[in-house]
Each structure stands twice: as C-alpha cells, then as structure tokens.
Amino acid sequence: MSNDDGVIKIIPLTLHIGAEIHGVDLSQPLSEATRRAINEAFLTWKVVFFRDQNLDHAHHIAFARQIGEPTIGHAVFGHVEGFPEIYSVAKFRTAQAHRTARMQRPWTGWHTDITAAINPPLASILRGVTIPPHGGDTLWTNLGAAYQGLSETFRLFIDGLRGIHRFEPPRGASSDTAYDKSIKRRALESEHPIVRVHPQTGERLLFVSPSFLKSVVGLTPRESEQVLELLWEQLVRPEYTVRFKWRAGDVAMWDNRATAHLAPTDIFESDHDRQLYRITLVGDIPVGVDGRASVTLKGQPILVVEQELARNEV
C-alpha cells in the first residue's frame, strides 16, 4: 500500500534551511507524486525531517532506494554487518576517536560528507534510534545562502578558485588509532571548485567543508588560511543554519551538495547513549562556475553498494 497523495504538509523551520514533512509513511512505497513532493522540498529547504517513522534497517534501505542509489555505508569506515548500505553513527565510533585532538574554532567539526572523494554523496539519510533525553542536536547550514551573503566582489574572486580536500588525521593525533588505520586503507584526496554549481537547481554553493578542505590552489599558505577561515566563518553564521532536536524514530535527509552539518559533541559529557544509522546516495562529480569538473588526486570514486562490494572482493 503506497502513501496517500494530498495529505503531505511541508512546514519550513527557518528562513533559509530546514523543513518538516508530515503525512508520509516512509515504511510504505512512495507514489510518484509523493516522491516529487519530497524532492521539491528537499531541493528547496536543503534538509527535510520526517518525525516518528520508527524504521528498521530494511525499511531504511527501501526508502533510500526510492530516492537514489545507496553507496557502501561509509567509503572509509565500513558498514553495519549484514547491511552494507548502512553506517552506524554511534556515540563512540571510529570517526570520533580523534575528536579530543582538534583545536576548537567556531567551524570545528562542520563538514559536508566525504568531500575528499571525487564524487561526494548526493544525499545522506539519517535515522534516530536511541536518542538522549536532552542534548545531541544536529545542525545544518545552507551553502547557497552563505554564498549569496558574501559581497559581489568577493564572490567574483572565489568563483574561479579550487580547493584540496582530503581525509587525514588532525595534527597531534596518534598515528596508530583505528581512525588513522581506516584512512590509510582508503586514502582519498580531490581537487574541487570552491564554488560548485548545483546540477539540478543551477544554484551556486560554497563547497568548503571545514573538516576536509585543506588549502586553496594557487594561493600562498597564509593567503589560503585567511580565505578559508573567512569562508568557514561565513557558512556557520546562525542565520543560515537550522538546529534539529531528535526524537527516536525521526529521519533527516539532506542535500549533501548544498549543505554542511555539525554532529553534536555535548553527548560526550552525558551518560546517555546515542545511536543513529545513515545511508548515503551516490553523487555526481562537482562542477565549478567556470565549467571545470573536480579532479581526483588520490583514491577511487564512490560506487553504488553492489559495485563497491564487488570491487572489494577483487
């Protein structure tokens, strides 16, 4: 039985980003009209939220496959046993092992998923299972609004710039951690435009993931540092962001091409557990304002899950 058309309600949460979608049961097949409505809200609001869905792994995968083509759970950190499409976002996981080594700045921890790959995911679909009674919120920011908020002169300057994105342990981190070993098993490094053009909407977006963007091509180290810090400061301005308070059973789906997000760190000060699960969808190769596509410097593209599993067996 598919969802009933005509009962979907879109409720925007801020001026620039985030909307709740009501009247959809994600455990059921979606009609074509429902998929169109979800996609329109997704492109408009960048991140959409579905409350009280209570999906299991199979339902999560089935919903994701109606939206796009799932990747392996995580290109670097693996997947849930028996469910290669799913990545466990647990309170203590491999990707969090290095968190205490980071210098804390306003943009620390903000990122767009897996931008070190030549084709970062199109979208991420995250569902909450075990949620603390307070704390543990996730934030997203609109990279299109952040770009438009810059002066026209500065936009013209950055439109032609390129940046180097890579996975690497932060300075001061141990070289023998599970995080570091995972990165060495699948090193990823790519050159992307600083401003990418959205392949569906044509919108210009700041493609400047603070966790993975390391330098600006053609600038001196000091110039690069100053430009990047200005851009990172811009993208975390509160007016471009939305903060989501999770409940068990909630699902968030965001446009990974048009957003960056921040996972919570307050959960490490709490005794409460937190468990979410994520699926990512295969993305395209970014293209800049000048029409130049991104370039692989190290590693391989992210494939659909079936191709990724076959590649790993070779």
Side-chain angles (χ1 to χ4, degrees):
M1 180 177 176
S2 65
N3 287 273
D4 182 23
D5 299 332
V7 298
I8 295 177
K9 187 174 183 180
I10 312 296
I11 303 177
L13 300 179
T14 75
L15 181 64
H16 292 295
I17 183 171
E20 290 190 3
I21 299 181
H22 295 267
V24 178
D25 181 355
L26 299 186
S27 70
Q28 300 297 320
L30 304 175
S31 68
E32 181 61 31
T34 298
R35 284 198 298 272
R36 285 199 303 269
I38 291 174
N39 185 64
E40 183 178 347
F42 168 78
L43 293 175
T44 300
W45 296 106
K46 308 300 193 280
V47 54
V48 292
F49 307 103
F50 306 85
R51 292 286 192 181
D52 305 316
Q53 296 293 321
N54 297 303
L55 306 181
D56 59 17
H57 286 345
H59 286 138
H60 193 175
I61 294 168
F63 168 61
R65 288 190 177 278
Q66 294 179 82
I67 303 299
E69 297 180 301
T71 71
I72 202 80
H74 193 292
V76 176
F77 300 120
H79 57 82
V80 171
E81 185 175 356
F83 297 92
E85 299 92 341
I86 294 178
Y87 175 57
S88 171
V89 181
K91 181 174 178 178
F92 296 104
R93 62 189 192 275
T94 300
Q96 288 289 348
H98 67 294
R99 63 184 179 85
T100 57
R102 292 184 288 191
M103 180 182 293
Q104 297 298 310
R105 296 184 172 119
W107 51 84
T108 297
W110 282 89
H111 64 286
T112 299
D113 285 331
I114 321 181
T115 60
I118 183 65
N119 60 332
L122 179 155
S124 294
I125 305 171
L126 185 64
R127 84 179 200 270
V129 175
T130 303
I131 304 299
H134 43 266
D137 301 350
T138 306
L139 286 82
W140 285 264
T141 189
N142 181 334
L143 301 181
Y147 172 80
Q148 289 299 327
L150 296 167
S151 69
E152 182 180 1
T153 300
F154 198 73
R155 292 200 304 267
L156 288 171
F157 168 63
I158 64 173
D159 277 350
L161 296 180
R162 314 269 290 185
I164 304 299
H165 297 239
R166 74 171 70 93
F167 267 113
E168 65 180 9
R171 294 177 183 175
S174 169
S175 61
D176 195 37
T177 64
Y179 174 82
D180 187 52
K181 291 177 180 178
S182 296
I183 293 173
K184 289 180 178 178
R185 282 194 298 269
R186 184 165 184 179
L188 293 170
E189 183 175 352
S190 297
E191 179 187 295
H192 294 302
I194 292 292
V195 180
R196 72 173 294 183
V197 178
H198 196 287
Q200 291 176 269
T201 67
E203 185 178 17
R204 295 185 182 187
L205 308 155
L206 280 182
F207 204 57
V208 290
S209 176
S211 293
F212 303 123
L213 176 53
K214 305 304 177 182
S215 62
V216 179
V217 175
L219 300 187
T220 67
R222 181 61 173 160
E223 291 168 344
S224 176
E225 177 183 59
Q226 291 293 294
V227 169
L228 289 181
E229 289 193 353
L230 187 152
L231 294 177
W232 292 334
E233 180 182 87
Q234 173 75 0
L235 73 86
V236 301
R237 283 173 54 174
E239 60 264 41
Y240 305 136
T241 69
V242 64
R243 184 177 188 128
F244 186 64
K245 184 170 182 58
W246 290 92
R247 299 195 301 251
D250 291 346
V251 174
M253 180 172 73
W254 63 93
D255 190 335
N256 197 57
R257 303 160 296 188
T259 63
H261 60 278
L262 178 66
T265 57
D266 59 352
I267 56 175
F268 301 106
E269 302 171 25
S270 166
D271 293 330
H272 297 288
D273 198 7
R274 185 178 187 270
Q275 175 69 64
L276 300 92
Y277 293 98
R278 191 196 72 187
I279 293 176
T280 55
L281 304 180
V282 172
D284 56 292
I285 297 174
V287 174
V289 174
D290 57 4
R292 294 174 59 204
S294 299
V295 176
T296 299
L297 301 178
K298 190 179 295 182
Q300 297 175 309
I302 300 172
L303 304 177
V304 299
V305 64
E306 294 83 3
Q307 293 173 325
E308 193 77 44
L309 291 172
R311 179 166 68 183
N312 292 339
E313 289 175 358
V314 175

